[in-house]
């Protein structure tokens, strides 16, 4: 779905640009409703590939002013090349950033998140980005390992 949305947006802007360059009056073109990429659209994605996950992290980072490179690095460390359905710690830590249920509940309350799907990579990215911005890096073991060296 996501690739289809992005493709439609690119095609739409390409056509409008060509018509503008050729001197056609764009005022005479009826506006086609172009799909817009939003957090809500991303939340509805069900087939997550590594490239979609990286694109989503970049989009969320831009929207929320997060450090994109930090989120990508942490996702690579925690879920081995973006396996967002991976669970560790005997099933206690799950998802892209391996968040435990108790930690997720704390994030939802502390950051006043209006969504509660800790298994959704979009929601995990937003919650993780907020926690990292808040200086909570040591909730994740890759940061602890960095400090130990």
């Amino acid at each position: 779905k996501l690739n289809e949305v992005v493709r439609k947006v690119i095609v739409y802007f390409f056509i409008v640009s060509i018509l503008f360059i050729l001197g056609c009056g764009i005022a005479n073109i009826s506006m086609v409703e172009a799909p817009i990429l939003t957090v809500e659209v991303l939340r509805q994605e069900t087939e997550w590939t590594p490239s979609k996950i990286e694109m989503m992290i970049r989009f969320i980072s831009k929207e929320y002013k997060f450090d994109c490179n930090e989120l990508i690095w942490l996702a690579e460390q925690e879920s081995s090349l973006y396996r967002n359905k991976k669970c560790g710690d005997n099933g206690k830590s799950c998802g892209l950033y391996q968040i435990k249920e108790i930690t997720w509940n704390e994030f939802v309350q502390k950051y006043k998140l209006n969504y509660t799907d800790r298994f959704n990579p979009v929601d995990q990215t937003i919650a993780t980005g907020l926690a990292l911005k808040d200086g909570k890096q040591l909730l994740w073991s890759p940061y602890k390992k960095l400090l130990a060296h």
Side-chain angles (χ1 to χ4, degrees):
K1 283 183 177 179
L2 189 57
N3 283 342
E4 185 178 312
V5 169
V6 171
R7 185 183 54 77
K8 285 179 182 178
V9 169
I10 290 170
V11 168
Y12 172 76
F13 285 112
F14 178 75
I15 290 170
V16 170
S17 298
I18 294 297
L19 291 173
F20 183 77
I21 290 168
L22 293 175
C24 297
I26 343 181
N28 296 331
I29 300 171
S30 63
M31 287 298 282
V32 177
E33 190 173 315
I36 297 172
L37 186 59
T38 64
V39 172
E40 253 337 289
V41 168
L42 285 170
R43 266 195 192 104
Q44 295 170 19
E45 180 62 48
T46 56
E47 298 297 321
W48 288 101
T49 63
S51 61
K52 284 183 184 179
I53 288 174
E54 187 169 335
M55 184 276 308
M56 175 272 297
I57 292 171
R58 291 183 185 286
F59 180 83
I60 296 295
S61 294
K62 186 174 181 185
E63 288 289 303
Y64 287 84
K65 296 178 177 56
F66 295 150
D67 182 340
C68 171
N69 294 323
E70 184 176 23
L71 284 166
I72 289 172
W73 175 82
L74 186 56
E76 288 171 347
Q77 301 302 307
E78 288 290 356
S79 58
S80 307
L81 300 175
Y82 310 122
R83 292 184 307 181
N84 65 301
K85 295 184 181 184
K86 179 182 176 188
C87 285
D89 297 329
N90 295 318
K92 293 178 186 171
S93 300
C94 295
L96 193 58
Y97 298 98
Q98 295 294 291
I99 299 176
K100 292 180 180 170
E101 185 174 9
I102 191 166
T103 306
W104 178 259
N105 292 335
E106 289 172 11
F107 288 172
V108 169
Q109 185 177 359
K110 179 172 182 149
Y111 303 118
K112 300 179 183 356
L113 305 176
N114 60 359
Y115 41 82
T116 57
D117 188 356
R118 82 174 168 119
F119 299 99
N120 185 301
V122 174
D123 293 346
Q124 271 210 7
T125 300
I126 294 169
T128 300
L130 289 168
L132 294 175
K133 241 180 161 175
D134 199 22
K136 304 291 184 194
Q137 282 78 359
L138 293 180
L139 291 173
W140 287 272
S141 58
Y143 287 101
K144 292 175 187 174
K145 289 177 186 172
L146 280 176
L147 283 178
H149 289 83

